[in-house]
Amino acid sequence: MNNAQFIVRKVAVLGAGVMGAQIAAHMVNANIETFLFELPAEADDPNAHVTKAIEKLKKHEPAPLSVKSKAAFIEAANYDQHLEQLKTCDVVIEAIAERMDWKQALYEKVAPYLGEQTIFASNTSGLSINRLAQAFPEALRHRFCGVHFFNPPRYMHLIELIPCEQSDALMLDNLESFLVTYLGKGVIRAKDTPNFIANRIGVFSLLATMHHGRESGLAFDEVDALTGALIGRPKSATFRTADVVGLDILAHVIHTMRDTLPDDDWHSYFETPDWLRGLIDEGALGQKTKRGVYQKVGKEIQVLDLAENTYRASCGEVHDELKQQLKYSKPVDRIAIMRNSQHAQGQFLWAIHRDLFHYCAVQLEHIADNARDLDLAIRWGFGWEHGPFEIWQEAGWKQVADWINTDIAAGKSMSNKPLPSWVQTISEQVHTSQGSYAPVTGTIHQRSELPVYHRQLYPDRLIGEDATYGETIFETDAVRMWHTGDKIAILSFKSKMHTIGKDVLNGILDALKEAEKNWQAMVIWQTEPPFSAGANLRQATERPKPQHVEKRVPAPPSLFEKFFKQFKKSAQATVLKAARELDMADALMARKLAEVEAMIDQFQQTSQALRYSMIPTVAAVDGLALGGGCEFVMHCDRVVATMETYIGLVEAGVGLLPAGGGCKEFALRAAQTAIEGDPFPQLKKYYQTVAMAELAKSAEQAKELGFLRPADTIIMNRFELLHAAKLQAMTLAESGYRPPLRTRSIPVAGNTGIATIESMLVNMHEGGFISDHDYLIGKKIAYVMCGGDLTPGSLADEEWFLQLERAAFMELLATEKTQARIEHTLKTGKPLRN
């Protein structure tokens, strides 16, 4: 390939199955023109198969599309009519079924239609890239490679990039840069070995878990209780994950490992269990057929009981003593607790970790370039908090190696293959601040020097790597203000889930004063998600944390696991759950209303200070931005948000309303976009967003709902967020920034707007859709957002709306029903309709 700038204008995806359609969806999420190909249908419409797949994308959960309207940008195509379109594509991704013969036949069909610079890649999950390349004319093989997306493609961070022997080095670098910045992915270069890195290790771990679970006499739900969040893995754990992936897909991967790894020392693990074959034969394939290892009957989750060959209520639990030991121990002690445990569950946990460490050590040099690539592949592809080598290092490298060797000598390990010599020769760290160990060269490998990674000021960190964030300007218990050697100040919150209390508010105000004196701009950015889960009003009576609990290193977010069960519920249930997790407001429950009102006033002052500061303010947002966090975002001069930003004013869910300037801001935005001077049509949309506590499920949807403005920037890769936000801040500063003039003339919707909304509320109330208290909350929100009991078109300033917010918030807070909602939420985590 030549050295011209690599630009991707169009992409084609071949295969409109589950993965192909979702890869196409993620392409249009990134604003890339995309063709989706499938075999022609026999019906009147040859593109009927693709059209059906695109329609499914709109209904799928979690949503593959950032907003449903993006589906219109996927162009349907078929192999009989549209192959000429491939010549216009810069990248073509094959994503058909995992059959070598089918893939090779397709390659022979499409190869003559590829453009002169087109990159062709297979989304195979484990087939040999070099064998697939043989189906291409030799002259095209330098533009062929594997790009293995993980499911679901929008949310899973990992892509494995696998070259064939003829793959052009510059082509691979260009493709990696595209995948990182424009699709937001974490790219790992894998060797062309069966199932590559993540599936090779992840599926081995799953098979070892199945084996030892059966040997220990543990039920499926008991295994899941042990192998989920308790040990730093997704809540879906082992068998729930299998159901999500699809039991047929799992069986295919096991079959691939069995057939392609005949000399593997753990080959006896690579057998499809009888119970798995039985479920597949019955068509019970997991989540997609609504029955697998688990099934849902009514509201009850049931699990397959092998002993009885039937389903029973799922009730798997961890032994209390083991659970307490693991929960409250230091990370360095956890593996030791498992190994020394006399309980079957503890022995099971040690066995699966021992086999995992042993397998990774033996296979590392064959499947990956270094230990970092293996660990990140597992974290990004399977959602683990830490990779296998990180866990091993954290537990004490040499001590764990000695334990493994002892078990090998005693015949307890499935393989008697000794640990490779490099395990014994390295120090206590396989990961260091200089890089990670590579056994082939016996050296420490630094991270990639590709220019695209210069945008990641703080890439995803491994245990053993330096965690220093710039130089401190000032620091309190609540916030830290710092810089990276330029004139942009960065403010980060230190509170749990970056909630906002009086100390954070004071920190923001102090930071703004400091920034106006000595810095050109200020960026609010958190070192890990969420941006902010909202206000914390309980500080006066905050309970001390147990001193013996050691804080664990924050894990990269597993968005699929962490957030999307919430999205299946109503917005109210979402915010109530969030409020319970935040332990929001002992102060509220103690009815310290004066203290709360003072805090609300300070909250509003801080929002306004962000808006009218003499230096530009930029919010760099990733993950949740709820309530007060959302209000701060709305008041900054610019927002740079990752696509996976979930933002909303959710106070109505607990019987309150936004009072940090959120209602005022929506009234102002409605006035600024008013048609013929009437703000109500737009205000009505904003009202529904606030009153229904709507939570945007992407940054694109946040723009549709009005939380983000058209000028705000959306990026795909969360690790590029700070870089992009600093560029925005510097651009504003270098452009002669002046804060906006204070708005003194906001036309209000007034009493006519209030009456219109109240009539809708009356109909909903009489129809039984909302309760008496819902009706009251809706009326209060309408009163504030419409500007109070004024004549429509009357002019009000921002302070008028802020006063209305404070008054309405305090009135709702004083009601017994709002207090009951909050108390009920804190105790149960469930919504209360009263």
Side-chain angles (χ1 to χ4, degrees):
M1 298 188 71
N2 60 45
N3 290 315
Q5 183 177 1
F6 180 66
I7 299 174
V8 177
R9 292 182 173 86
K10 291 184 181 180
V11 167
V13 179
L14 310 183
V18 173
M19 281 300 291
Q22 291 197 53
I23 291 170
H26 195 58
M27 292 293 173
V28 295
N29 288 342
N31 293 331
I32 299 166
E33 292 186 48
T34 303
F35 294 99
L36 180 58
F37 277 78
E38 189 49 271
L39 294 168
E42 296 179 359
D44 293 338
D45 178 11
N47 290 330
H49 294 322
V50 180
T51 302
K52 183 178 180 180
I54 293 172
E55 286 302 309
K56 284 184 178 179
L57 290 173
K58 300 177 185 178
K59 303 173 184 177
H60 196 81
E61 288 292 343
L65 296 159
S66 58
V67 287
K68 289 183 180 180
S69 58
K70 287 280 189 179
F73 295 94
I74 301 175
E75 189 165 345
N78 66 78
Y79 300 119
D80 283 358
Q81 297 176 303
H82 304 110
L83 287 179
E84 287 289 338
Q85 295 291 349
L86 296 179
K87 293 180 179 178
T88 69
C89 295
D90 302 289
V91 178
V92 175
I93 298 174
E94 168 269 306
I96 67 171
E98 291 285 84
R99 284 273 301 267
M100 181 71 72
D101 54 340
W102 290 1
K103 290 178 186 286
Q104 290 175 332
L106 179 61
Y107 296 177
E108 292 172 2
K109 184 181 185 70
V110 303
Y113 296 92
L114 299 178
E116 292 183 1
Q117 298 295 320
T118 302
I119 296 173
F120 191 95
S122 173
N123 181 55
T124 177
S125 61
L127 297 179
S128 170
I129 297 301
N130 282 298
R131 281 190 61 194
L132 289 171
Q134 298 306 307
F136 265 74
E138 188 172 355
L140 299 184
R141 291 175 193 167
H142 67 289
R143 292 188 268 134
F144 178 76
C145 64
V147 285
H148 178 208
F149 287 78
F150 275 67
N151 189 25
R154 171 182 163 187
Y155 305 105
M156 298 309 293
H157 191 59
L158 177 64
I159 285 182
E160 292 176 312
L161 180 60
I162 314 100
C164 69
E165 291 176 359
Q166 295 86 7
S167 294
D168 179 81
L170 179 60
M171 178 272 290
L172 293 170
D173 289 349
N174 286 337
L175 183 57
E176 180 169 350
S177 298
F178 164 72
L179 296 170
V180 169
T181 290
Y182 295 98
L183 296 189
K185 297 305 179 184
V187 175
I188 297 295
R189 300 268 184 119
K191 297 181 181 182
D192 186 21
T193 55
N195 289 340
F196 313 128
I197 301 174
N199 275 346
R200 177 73 172 272
I201 301 302
V203 174
F204 170 82
S205 177
L206 187 147
L207 291 173
T209 300
M210 289 181 176
H211 169 81
H212 287 295
R214 191 69 182 269
E215 289 289 305
S216 301
L218 304 180
F220 292 141
D221 53 344
E222 194 175 0
V223 169
D224 278 354
L226 287 161
T227 58
L230 181 70
I231 60 171
R233 300 182 188 178
K235 291 180 181 178
S236 54
T238 300
F239 294 105
R240 288 184 188 277
T241 296
D243 274 354
V244 170
V245 170
L247 299 185
D248 54 336
I249 302 300
L250 173 61
H252 172 78
V253 175
I254 296 172
H255 180 82
T256 300
M257 293 181 74
R258 184 194 66 196
D259 290 353
T260 58
L261 296 167
D263 299 325
D264 192 295
D265 288 275
W266 285 264
H267 191 266
S268 59
Y269 279 2
F270 306 159
E271 289 292 336
T272 305
D274 292 341
W275 62 263
L276 181 56
R277 286 199 204 95
L279 286 174
I280 294 171
D281 290 344
E282 294 172 9
L285 306 181
Q287 192 175 77
K288 57 190 172 186
T289 60
K290 299 184 178 180
R291 185 166 76 91
V293 177
Y294 292 89
Q295 66 177 5
K296 190 173 183 180
V297 178
K299 293 184 178 182
E300 183 179 74
I301 303 296
Q302 297 182 343
V303 64
L304 180 63
D305 188 320
L306 289 182
E308 300 296 330
N309 196 29
T310 187
Y311 287 87
R312 59 165 174 78
S314 177
C315 58
E317 293 184 355
V318 180
H319 186 268
D320 285 343
E321 182 179 354
L322 178 64
K323 184 176 183 179
Q324 293 301 311
Q325 287 177 329
L326 293 177
K327 185 175 182 180
Y328 292 112
S329 64
K330 296 179 180 180
V332 71
D333 296 329
R334 292 187 181 118
I335 296 298
I337 289 170
M338 298 174 191
R339 185 178 188 274
N340 296 325
S341 174
Q342 298 303 307
H343 194 278
Q345 291 184 348
Q347 294 170 3
F348 159 78
L349 287 175
W350 162 245
I352 66 173
H353 280 89
R354 177 201 62 217
D355 282 9
L356 175 64
F357 298 154
H358 191 182
Y359 193 76
C360 289
V362 169
Q363 302 299 341
L364 176 60
E365 63 182 293
H366 306 295
I367 65 175
D369 287 335
N370 55 71
R372 175 181 56 251
D373 287 353
L374 187 149
D375 276 352
L376 289 179
I378 292 298
R379 280 170 48 168
W380 295 344
F382 282 81
W384 292 16
E385 278 188 18
H386 301 304
F389 289 122
E390 285 185 285
I391 300 168
W392 185 347
Q393 176 171 313
E394 186 180 45
W397 185 265
K398 290 191 177 297
Q399 177 62 80
V400 172
D402 289 343
W403 288 337
I404 296 172
N405 282 327
T406 299
D407 279 11
I408 294 172
K412 294 182 179 179
S413 177
M414 181 61 69
S415 168
N416 61 5
K417 191 177 186 70
L419 287 172
S421 58
W422 68 264
V423 171
Q424 306 295 342
T425 58
I426 67 168
S427 66
E428 285 289 328
Q429 290 187 303
V430 70
H431 301 301
T432 72
S433 56
Q434 288 75 44
S436 297
Y437 189 78
V440 172
T441 61
T443 59
I444 295 293
H445 272 209
Q446 296 181 346
R447 287 179 179 263
S448 171
E449 289 297 320
L450 279 179
V452 68
Y453 292 110
H454 298 167
R455 300 168 58 87
Q456 297 189 14
L457 304 183
Y458 299 97
D460 204 353
R461 178 171 60 89
L462 293 161
I463 289 175
E465 290 186 310
D466 187 7
T468 302
Y469 293 93
E471 295 186 27
T472 300
I473 301 170
F474 79 82
E475 186 170 10
T476 70
D477 289 341
V479 302
R480 177 174 179 253
M481 189 180 191
W482 51 286
H483 69 93
T484 58
D486 51 28
K487 295 300 293 182
I488 306 297
I490 303 163
L491 185 68
S492 301
F493 302 168
K494 296 168 63 178
S495 51
K496 180 182 178 182
M497 293 187 73
H498 306 130
T499 52
I500 304 163
K502 291 180 291 184
D503 46 1
V504 172
L505 295 174
N506 289 330
I508 295 172
L509 293 173
D510 289 342
L512 287 170
K513 292 176 184 177
E514 165 64 24
E516 287 182 336
K517 290 179 181 178
N518 299 310
W519 305 87
Q520 291 183 342
M522 188 176 83
V523 172
I524 303 178
W525 176 79
Q526 316 299 1
T527 56
E528 71 277 335
F531 176 79
S532 175
N536 175 14
L537 304 179
R538 74 165 194 143
Q539 284 188 322
T541 55
E542 189 166 18
R543 292 182 291 274
K545 297 177 182 178
Q547 295 301 306
H548 60 288
V549 179
E550 180 168 319
K551 184 179 180 181
R552 303 184 73 175
V553 177
S558 175
L559 298 176
F560 173 61
E561 177 66 32
K562 192 171 184 180
F563 297 129
F564 287 95
K565 284 188 178 180
Q566 296 182 53
F567 291 160
K568 294 179 182 179
K569 303 175 183 179
S570 67
Q572 185 182 48
T574 299
V575 68
L576 289 172
K577 184 175 186 293
R580 178 179 63 85
E581 291 174 350
L582 296 176
D583 197 11
M584 178 179 156
D586 281 298
L588 298 187
M589 306 315 296
R591 302 186 184 185
K592 297 182 179 179
L593 300 184
E595 180 182 339
V596 173
E597 185 169 16
M599 183 174 172
I600 295 301
D601 182 65
Q602 186 184 16
F603 216 117
Q604 292 179 339
Q605 293 176 30
T606 306
S607 295
Q608 292 293 86
L610 287 169
R611 167 61 50 78
Y612 295 111
S613 171
M614 294 305 296
I615 47 95
T617 57
V618 176
V621 189
D622 181 35
L624 291 173
L626 300 180
C630 174
E631 287 171 306
F632 282 169
V633 168
M634 295 174 73
H635 281 81
C636 285
D637 294 299
R638 286 288 187 278
V639 181
V640 180
T642 65
M643 181 63 75
E644 303 312 325
T645 289
Y646 315 115
I647 185 170
L649 295 172
V650 293
E651 290 85 349
V654 284
L656 298 168
L657 55 72
C663 293
K664 177 270 299 180
E665 190 62 21
F666 268 145
L668 176 59
R669 294 183 183 188
Q672 291 170 338
T673 57
I675 299 174
E676 297 181 354
D678 182 9
F680 186 73
Q682 185 61 49
L683 188 68
K684 181 180 175 183
K685 297 177 183 177
Y686 291 151
Y687 169 81
Q688 180 176 347
T689 296
V690 175
M692 297 299 293
E694 289 195 55
L695 184 67
K697 301 175 187 178
S698 71
E700 290 276 13
Q701 190 181 19
K703 282 195 173 185
E704 290 186 347
L705 294 175
F707 297 122
L708 300 183
R709 297 154 297 195
D712 291 331
T713 300
I714 298 173
I715 68 167
M716 299 298 287
N717 196 314
R718 60 177 292 258
F719 296 106
E720 297 181 357
L721 178 60
L722 182 58
H723 168 80
K726 289 183 66 179
L727 287 179
Q728 284 280 348
M730 185 60 73
T731 298
L732 289 171
E734 293 293 333
S735 301
Y737 173 83
R738 292 288 300 178
L741 296 173
R742 292 183 181 269
T743 307
R744 305 184 187 282
S745 303
I746 304 172
V748 302
N751 46 31
T752 300
I754 295 170
T756 302
I757 292 174
E758 283 193 13
S759 66
M760 296 187 297
L761 292 173
V762 167
N763 291 335
M764 294 177 69
H765 185 250
E766 291 180 350
F769 297 105
I770 60 175
S771 68
D772 292 348
H773 199 53
D774 293 329
Y775 178 74
L776 175 63
I777 297 163
K779 283 177 59 178
K780 292 292 184 185
I781 295 171
Y783 187 85
V784 173
M785 293 184 69
C786 291
D789 190 15
L790 300 177
T791 303
S794 298
L795 301 180
D797 61 12
E798 292 180 78
E799 183 55 38
W800 171 258
F801 281 94
L802 294 175
Q803 290 174 0
L804 293 177
E805 280 185 0
R806 289 197 303 272
F809 183 94
M810 298 310 299
E811 288 168 9
L812 286 172
L813 183 59
T815 64
E816 290 185 4
K817 289 187 176 180
T818 284
Q819 292 177 16
R821 288 191 178 193
I822 295 171
E823 184 176 8
H824 186 268
T825 298
L826 295 175
K827 289 181 177 179
T828 69
K830 297 179 181 179
L832 175 65
R833 296 297 303 277
N834 56 0

